Amino acid sequence: MDTLQEYKNKSKDYKAFAFFPLLVFLGLFLGGGILFTIRGIEKPFGQIPLLASIVIAIIVAFIMNKTLTFEDKFNVFCKTAANEGVMMMVLIFMLAGSFSSVSRAMGGVESVVNLGLSIIPSRLIIPGVFLVACFISVSTGTMVGTVVTVIPIAVGIIEASSVNPAVAMAAVLSGSMFGDNMSVISDTTIAATRGVGAEMKDKFRQNVLIALPAVLVASVLFATFGKTGEMPVETLEFNFIKVLPYLGVLIASIMGANVVLVLISGILASGIIGMLVSNMSFIDFMQSIQQGLDNMAGIAVLSILVRGLIGLIEIYGGIDWLLNSLTNRINSKRGAEFSMAILVSAITFSVLDNTVAIITSAPLVKKIGDEYGVIPARMASLLDIFSCVTMSLVPHSGTIAMLSLAGGISPLDIGRYSFYQIFLGIFTIITIVLGVYPGSKEKAELEKN
């Protein structure tokens, strides 16, 4: 069986046109959603289903290349769709759905929300969710793991109050992305520092000066836009025993336990507590697991299909074209830094995997940075920041789809209130424009001494 590189050598180089299937997908789903929104149709982003849109895009990708046989294209699609990272994400999505469903059935979500509202003023509950997600994500280094841990709490808050669902889901997403960018054990941080030869501590110093102001601004904005309204007294009743599965998941996540084992333990703990202190039967427990799996099935399939489509786009020459076209007009240090930001953002948007995007672009970023005197820590910081910002804002990723489904809102609504990502990107762009950080080779040498 041919390798992916051999398939790539056999394929016609479509350059920019390789992205046409992805544009078809975005045009159908996002374009249709926007059109139906303008027309005032209820649930506009559900009129043209997400999975149906990606299937049409895949059909277009299979048709457009005549230099490869159908079997060749099918092999490429299956190899990339079955990527280890994708399969792990699918498993996490499915287990997260089951944990959420079982814990809800035994009354855990209501108890967690009411406990939180008993401790934190209702006007601060959304920034509280954001900061809790920040803490979990920086402790665990995983965006997806944090999302699946915190999302049931956000859903409970939405149901118990008048808070805007988009603001609540954006708070989860924003906090989850914080650690993906700042944690020293995050795969994106490790890939960025190793890819350009930077020291982890130096890269952290670069990031923290930008991230902390963004956290402060986001917290204020979440408090402003995340008003929950008056909460009736009766909603503050809770059973602490039912909170234990969430505490267990939270503590285990912070301690760095495997997210799959954490979720399995959470499912079992919720089921046992439900059968002991609630009216949940074993049949109810099993049906709740199935309900959670059903809820996440569409998102799991979407993740697989999108990754397979990206594999075809890469074989058709799209990623190589992107790499080359974004780096051939650089003539200054500022231009070099902007090219790094645009490059990793474009690849992240294309492949929907910020770690893969960093690994792919790091060699070229290193070459550009060395030529224009950008210190390695700055290169790593730009790679990590813009890949994470893009990954947490693209409306067609599995994580955004999960948040959108849980909140009953469109992906674009979540993006509007993703204050941390927005201001992290804005503040970073300001540093590029103003040249805040030293970038000459001479200054880099002085820093080493």
Side-chain angles (χ1 to χ4, degrees):
M1 186 177 292
D2 291 345
T3 64
L4 292 177
Q5 184 59 48
E6 288 171 332
Y7 284 123
K8 191 173 182 179
N9 294 337
K10 290 163 58 177
S11 172
K12 178 180 177 181
D13 187 358
Y14 282 90
K15 296 184 171 59
F17 189 63
F19 288 100
F20 180 67
L22 184 60
L23 295 177
V24 170
F25 167 55
L26 296 176
L28 286 171
F29 177 62
L30 292 181
I34 293 170
L35 176 62
F36 290 121
T37 299
I38 294 173
R39 294 177 59 184
I41 294 177
E42 186 178 357
K43 296 183 179 179
F45 284 87
Q47 299 301 311
I48 300 180
L50 195 60
L51 288 178
S53 300
I54 193 65
V55 167
I56 295 299
I58 291 169
I59 292 173
V60 171
F62 270 80
I63 292 174
M64 66 181 281
N65 194 330
K66 302 298 183 182
T67 59
L68 294 176
T69 65
F70 177 82
E71 288 74 17
D72 288 339
K73 288 178 276 192
F74 185 73
N75 287 336
V76 170
F77 181 87
C78 291
K79 280 185 175 183
T80 51
N83 175 275
E84 180 182 353
V86 174
M87 292 299 104
M88 178 60 72
M89 183 179 296
V90 166
L91 180 59
I92 291 173
F93 282 162
M94 302 299 280
L95 291 174
S98 294
F99 173 62
S100 178
S101 180
V102 174
S103 60
R104 175 177 298 279
M106 66 88 169
V109 173
E110 181 181 2
S111 287
V112 169
V113 172
N114 292 345
L115 174 60
L117 291 173
S118 299
I119 299 172
I120 305 172
S122 61
R123 67 181 183 278
L124 298 178
I125 195 70
I126 297 303
V129 168
F130 166 62
L131 294 175
V132 166
C134 286
F135 180 68
I136 296 174
S137 62
V138 81
S139 301
T140 63
T142 168
M143 175 180 173
V144 175
T146 304
V147 167
V148 300
T149 301
V150 182
I151 198 172
I153 300 173
V155 171
I157 292 171
I158 291 170
E159 294 175 349
S161 69
S162 59
V163 69
N164 184 337
V167 177
M169 290 302 157
V172 175
L173 180 63
S174 294
S176 301
M177 198 278 279
F178 174 79
D180 205 30
N181 172 238
M182 290 297 299
S183 175
V184 295
I185 60 173
S186 168
D187 53 356
T188 59
T189 299
I190 294 170
T193 52
R194 289 181 178 178
V196 297
E199 292 290 333
M200 182 71 75
K201 65 180 186 298
D202 296 332
K203 183 264 184 189
F204 180 84
R205 289 170 185 159
Q206 293 273 325
N207 274 31
V208 74
L209 295 175
I210 304 171
L212 290 185
V215 167
L216 293 175
V217 173
S219 298
V220 172
L221 290 174
F222 280 128
T224 302
F225 288 89
K227 296 177 180 178
T228 57
E230 293 298 324
M231 305 293 295
V233 175
E234 57 266 27
T235 63
L236 299 182
E237 297 178 358
F238 62 88
N239 186 333
F240 187 76
I241 294 177
K242 295 180 180 180
V243 178
L244 293 179
Y246 286 97
L247 288 178
V249 167
L250 174 62
I251 293 170
S253 297
I254 293 172
M255 292 177 63
N258 183 283
V259 66
V260 173
L261 294 178
V262 168
L263 289 171
I264 291 174
S265 301
I267 293 169
L268 295 176
S270 294
I272 292 171
I273 291 173
M275 287 183 276
L276 290 177
V277 304
S278 295
N279 295 322
M280 176 183 284
S281 66
F282 180 74
I283 293 176
D284 294 332
F285 172 58
M286 297 301 291
Q287 289 179 345
S288 296
I289 291 177
Q290 182 61 49
Q291 181 63 50
L293 295 174
D294 291 342
N295 290 341
M296 289 296 177
I299 296 171
V301 172
L302 173 68
S303 301
I304 295 170
L305 295 180
V306 169
R307 190 64 187 92
L309 175 62
I310 296 303
L312 289 174
I313 291 172
E314 184 173 2
I315 293 299
Y316 295 171
I319 302 301
D320 287 342
W321 169 81
L322 193 61
L323 286 168
N324 295 328
S325 61
L326 291 175
T327 58
N328 58 8
R329 292 188 177 91
I330 304 171
N331 53 26
S332 66
K333 174 183 172 292
R334 183 179 290 110
E337 292 193 350
F338 270 121
S339 72
M340 294 174 191
I342 295 171
L343 177 63
V344 73
S345 297
I347 296 177
T348 302
F349 184 90
S350 302
V351 304
L352 292 181
D353 189 319
N354 46 350
T355 304
V356 171
I358 289 172
I359 293 172
T360 302
S361 55
L364 192 53
V365 165
K366 173 66 172 172
K367 181 178 178 181
I368 296 170
D370 288 344
E371 182 176 352
Y372 288 92
V374 181
I375 61 175
R378 178 64 166 168
M379 298 182 214
S381 178
L382 293 174
L383 277 173
D384 205 0
I385 286 174
F386 283 100
S387 67
C388 289
V389 168
T390 303
M391 189 63 195
S392 60
L393 290 175
V394 288
H396 54 297
S397 74
T399 304
I400 304 297
M402 179 171 63
L403 289 162
S404 174
L405 178 65
I409 50 180
S410 80
L412 297 181
D413 286 337
I414 297 175
R416 286 171 52 200
Y417 297 103
S418 295
F419 301 123
Y420 174 69
Q421 298 92 305
I422 293 170
F423 281 94
L424 183 67
I426 290 173
F427 291 160
T428 308
I429 290 172
I430 291 173
T431 67
I432 296 175
V433 173
L434 299 180
V436 172
Y437 293 100
S440 69
K441 293 181 178 179
E442 293 78 12
K443 289 183 179 179
E445 290 298 325
L446 286 174
E447 287 187 358
K448 294 179 181 178
N449 297 329

